Amino acid sequence: MLVLFETAAGYAIFKVLDESKLQQVDSLYKEFETPEKANKVLKLKHFEKFQDTTEALAAATALVEGKIGKSLKKVLKKVVAKEAHEQLAISDAKLGGVIKEKLDLSCVHSPAVAELMRCIRGQMESLITGLPPREISAMSLGLAHSLSRYKLKFSPDKVDTMIVQAISLLDDLDKELNNYIMRCREWYGWHFPELGKIITDNLAYCKTVNKIGDRTNVAGSDLSDILPEEIEAEVKLAAEISMGTEVSEQDIGNIRHLCDQVIEISDYRIQLYDYLKNRMMAIAPNLTVMVGELVGARLISHAGSLLNLAKHPASTVQILGAEKALFRALKTRKDTPKYGLIYHASLVGQTTAKNKGKISRMLAAKASLAIRYDALGEDTNAEMGVENRAKLEARLRQLEEKGIRRISGTGKAMAKADKYQHKSEVKMYDPSGDSTIPSTSKKRKFEEVEEEEEAEEPVTPVVKLKKPKKESVAEEQEAEAAETPKKKKKKKDKKADDETEEPKEEEEAVAVTESTEKKKKKKKKKAKEEEEDDD
Amino acid sequence: PKYIIPDCFSGFSPRGDRGGRGGRGGRGGFGDRGRGGFRGGRGGGFKSPDGGFRGRGGGRGGPRGRGGRGAGRGGFGAGKKVLVEPHRHEGVFICRGKEDALVTKNMVVGESVYGEKRMSVEEGETKIEYRAWNPFRSKLAAAILGGIDQIHIKPGAKVMYLGAASGTTVSHVSDIVGPDGLVYAVEFSHRSGRDLLNVAKKRTNIIPIIEDARHPHKYRMLVGMVDVIFADVAQPDQTRIVALNAHNFLKNGGHFVISIKANCIDSTAAPEAVFASEVKKMSAENMKPQEQLTLEPYERDHAVVVAVASPPITYTCE
């Protein structure tokens, strides 16, 4: 009978030398008490070592799932297939079934086999010769770690140590860069002091110095790709009349080296920033969307890790970075600071000073949710962050509008308009509706109409002055057009027109009286305006 | 006994330790239930670069007149002399000061696993660091302080730890067994598994296994024979789980240390009845119980049972 025994280092196939011993299950352990006795019962037929950790990991995962891995298949085909008549003892019944199905090898799993496995495990080092025990333990440790990582879907992308280190490096680089640039300016200023005052941008300065070296070369060199034209002209001018000292080639060489370093570091800084942005987006997309990469990275670095940051309450996230001010205020019983690192987020930056505190609190609350989602959630998408940001922006706008409303006068005026105002209304009696008999003669009516028309003509121009709208102009033009043909027309027509106009004019008269009676109320104002428009 | 001057006394790292500070509020246990010293020590021990942190302890209790080492009272304020002597159990020590504490020798010097206190000891030229072991958080520590006779976990032993959780007690077991021993830590939960993995990264004698302990054949590739099985799984069928694992991996004459939570096995029955029934189940599975101990005053309705594998192990649990 053959025995298949899996270890972290590889597969071991044993041959049972004395099968009768297997019958006495209870005393089997006695046979394995010492290495020599164990070797009498079993012999190592073949040991298939795993080539590397990936192979071991694949074998282990296959084992967990109860399937046949590639390496196991290979071993079985190579060794066991030759002795197909022999049974194969295995520790897992399910695996036995699969082996029988796929490779047509008869497998056995019984209490005796289980006990046998126990005993083998107890004497593993002595039975598997050619494998030092340290190697087995090292392999099992490595395999356990890889297996666990595989199970937990451990992704190296999501290691937040990178962020912490990257942001610290960014700060270090900035400091170093500043130092080097100051040194460069000071050093070169000895030779060409005016250049420092002309070129304010540090990187441009270093590139220029790198290019020209000694200031005598300025006239001949072309600085158009580094500097804009006017500055280039200034530089060339200043080079002629410079009051700096002469320096040797060696000195210029050293300064040039320094400038090279500065340029290199600047380039690397840009690269590092890109890298940081990528990592932040991969590790904490929601936080990045809400506060930006730099602020997010600083928060994570300040807390130590993303998980630590997630454990902080939102109020802590709000004042993270302002601990000195916080505890000072707590000790002296003064007002605590309203914002820490979160002050540099774009949302807080774009509000007025009055609202920064409010926005900082709101942003900290939502950002805290985003952080927890990133640190502990299973998915990695930025939906939640985008939603929250939209909410915050809406609230920001609301805050600002509320502020604007309060400040401007119309609000107050509108508020005042709502107060009760006593309006003394004196209604005049309108006698026109008294009798149904057409009251006056047509002639008189015509005269009256004429008078009223004349009276209204000045009114309409006044209206025109007040509200130069096209409509009223159009209406007036129409009215005038109507009036002139009326005048030209015969009396009858005029009368007819007058008649049609009468009710209209009556309405207008009523409207005029009504308008004079009514006071300045909003709606009636509008109605008046409408009526005037209609006129 | 040697006279020692403990050195730095702070938690994990000044930055990251806010988690630890949070625990101080009551979950830290130590401070609130008689071992008052630690609260003071913790507040005092923060020689951190962000000076503000010192005040934070002060800020909570209401601002005190002094900042920083506001609480030098009681227990282990940094700079206090304490005495470390070995416990009856091998690999475990007792730290004597104003308050006594159970400690283990730290295998990873300078690091705190769950924010616990560390104390450094000078022995001539070498510096040895010890970590405090909290009996309110660890059943094994509670059992030791309760006076258990034998834990069977000693330097050089191979221990199988079922129910490793986030690795807080596992780290102490790892300290006890030392670099020659091995701890196979089995934990099924992924969340805790992540923390366990982090602990195992630093300590090479811990082998993390993220698998269900109900199926020991799934991790048979990673495990050799062990001397002791420690089980803290809190499952109703925990005796069967332990028996399965013992059958596969426990050497003949090996020992069990099993923690029983009465509420978990049967919440309606009386705790004593639950413990008795569990012990009977264990005897049926060929585990001979040797001693039983309740974990008062650290835990309620908990007991620890120490048993030995009665050889030979028959296969009632297939």
Side-chain angles (χ1 to χ4, degrees), chain A residues 68 94-107:
Chain A
I68 307 182
K94 198 169 127 197
L95 185 61
V98 179
I99 291 178
K100 180 143 180 100
E101 214 180 293
K102 294 248 168 99
L103 299 173
D104 204 20
L105 294 164
S106 62
C107 299

Side-chain angles (χ1 to χ4, degrees), chain A residues 164-401:
Chain A
V164 176
Q165 299 297 338
I167 196 92
S168 312
L169 181 60
L170 205 64
D171 289 335
D172 283 344
L173 278 181
D174 281 335
K175 268 197 210 129
E176 282 308 306
L177 204 56
N178 196 34
N179 277 340
Y180 283 7
I181 285 172
M182 290 296 121
R183 177 67 51 215
C184 184
R185 274 181 187 263
E186 209 183 309
W187 200 348
Y188 196 70
W190 194 240
H191 173 60
F192 188 0
E194 293 78 10
L195 190 66
K197 296 194 194 87
I198 297 171
I199 305 180
T200 44
D201 181 42
N202 292 324
L203 195 57
Y205 185 89
C206 289
K207 283 191 182 151
T208 313
V209 170
N210 214 9
K211 199 151 193 193
I212 60 179
D214 202 297
R215 69 164 181 269
T216 47
N217 301 335
V218 176
S221 56
D222 177 29
L223 302 166
S224 51
D225 49 346
I226 309 172
L227 302 168
E229 277 187 32
E230 321 88 56
I231 300 192
E232 192 183 341
E234 275 186 52
V235 169
K236 293 210 160 122
L237 193 62
E240 306 291 325
I241 52 171
S242 173
M243 55 172 170
T245 52
E246 297 294 322
V247 278
S248 72
E249 271 306 304
Q250 277 183 348
D251 305 328
I252 292 291
N254 271 318
I255 299 177
R256 272 205 156 117
H257 273 306
L258 180 58
C259 292
D260 284 335
Q261 282 294 310
V262 171
I263 295 167
E264 223 182 282
I265 292 182
S266 295
D267 284 334
Y268 177 58
R269 192 196 178 282
I270 296 171
Q271 264 185 18
L272 186 64
Y273 189 56
D274 275 331
Y275 165 78
L276 182 66
K277 277 201 276 201
N278 285 335
R279 291 259 127 245
M280 272 305 287
M281 212 49 208
I283 290 178
N286 292 291
L287 180 61
T288 314
V289 162
M290 291 210 71
V291 295
E293 294 96 3
L294 212 51
V295 176
R298 279 196 203 280
L299 284 171
I300 293 178
S301 140
H302 196 281
S305 82
L306 188 57
L307 201 58
N308 267 346
L309 186 60
K311 290 183 189 168
H312 289 317
S315 52
T316 303
V317 172
Q318 184 182 354
I319 45 140
L320 213 56
E323 281 88 10
K324 190 162 166 217
L326 175 71
F327 295 123
R328 187 179 59 213
L330 283 174
K331 273 187 238 177
T332 55
R333 297 177 205 238
K334 290 225 175 71
D335 283 339
T336 51
K338 294 189 282 296
Y339 22 63
L341 286 167
I342 231 165
Y343 188 78
H344 300 106
S346 54
L347 273 174
V348 179
Q350 68 195 37
T351 58
T352 54
K354 256 184 62 178
N355 294 333
K356 278 203 214 284
K358 286 206 181 113
I359 290 294
S360 150
R361 185 187 63 235
M362 291 195 265
L363 181 61
K366 290 291 179 220
S368 190
L369 289 173
I371 292 166
R372 284 170 201 162
Y373 187 82
D374 285 330
L376 305 161
E378 297 298 328
D379 307 326
T380 47
N381 54 357
E383 276 170 20
M384 188 217 174
V386 172
E387 267 178 50
N388 280 345
R389 197 187 169 101
K391 270 190 221 166
L392 274 178
E393 280 170 354
R395 236 184 269 173
L396 179 63
R397 251 175 275 129
Q398 254 184 16
L399 256 183
E400 287 180 359
E401 270 172 26

